[in-house]
Amino acid sequence: MTVSRSPAIFASRRGTWLSPNNVRRQWREARADTDLAWVTPHTFRKTVATLIKEETDTKSAAAQLGHSSEEVTATYYIAKPAQAPDVSDILERLGTDYGRRQHPTTALPNDAHG
């Protein structure tokens, strides 16, 4: 069985594959005088995983990154929403309910103050 290889995205002058260390070094040099210090090869991997998950599923994202576990991909590579969902209508009911009763008679689940 013959395995075909895709052309290298980050290739040397001779067209051979660069080592990961050389890619990291060149990327550090390229962003040296920019405000992109936060962008690393890991950032690219996370972006790829997130985009694939949004278009397909976590299984496909894990396969693209070469992970044997979807759990690793979901936990460390797929970006979580930066903004919480709008649940203001639920919280408004809490305020209305509290206004009718001066002292709630039942604790809410997970209420540490019981």
Side-chain angles (χ1 to χ4, degrees):
M1 178 176 153
T2 304
V3 177
S4 64
R5 292 184 67 173
S6 300
I9 294 173
F10 300 106
S12 71
R13 291 181 184 143
R14 293 179 293 178
T16 59
W17 290 72
L18 288 175
S19 73
N21 286 338
N22 283 337
V23 173
R24 283 187 201 92
R25 180 184 49 77
Q26 289 177 352
W27 180 243
R28 277 193 308 272
E29 291 171 5
R31 66 187 176 152
D33 294 326
T34 71
D35 60 350
L36 299 175
W38 62 274
V39 181
T40 65
H42 185 72
T43 308
F44 290 126
R45 287 178 58 82
K46 289 180 76 167
T47 300
V48 166
T50 300
L51 290 173
I52 291 173
K53 193 273 182 196
E54 287 175 357
E55 294 294 322
T56 59
D57 53 25
T58 303
K59 183 177 181 177
S60 298
Q64 175 64 36
L65 297 184
H67 294 160
S68 59
S69 165
E70 291 177 46
E71 184 178 348
V72 169
T73 308
T75 302
Y76 299 105
Y77 287 86
I78 295 174
K80 311 305 182 275
Q83 185 175 359
D86 181 7
V87 294
S88 57
D89 57 329
I90 296 169
L91 297 176
E92 289 294 329
R93 289 186 301 185
L94 178 64
T96 303
D97 187 47
Y98 184 77
R100 280 188 249 141
R101 295 183 286 154
Q102 285 294 8
H103 301 288
T105 56
T106 57
L108 296 173
N110 298 321
D111 186 358
H113 302 294

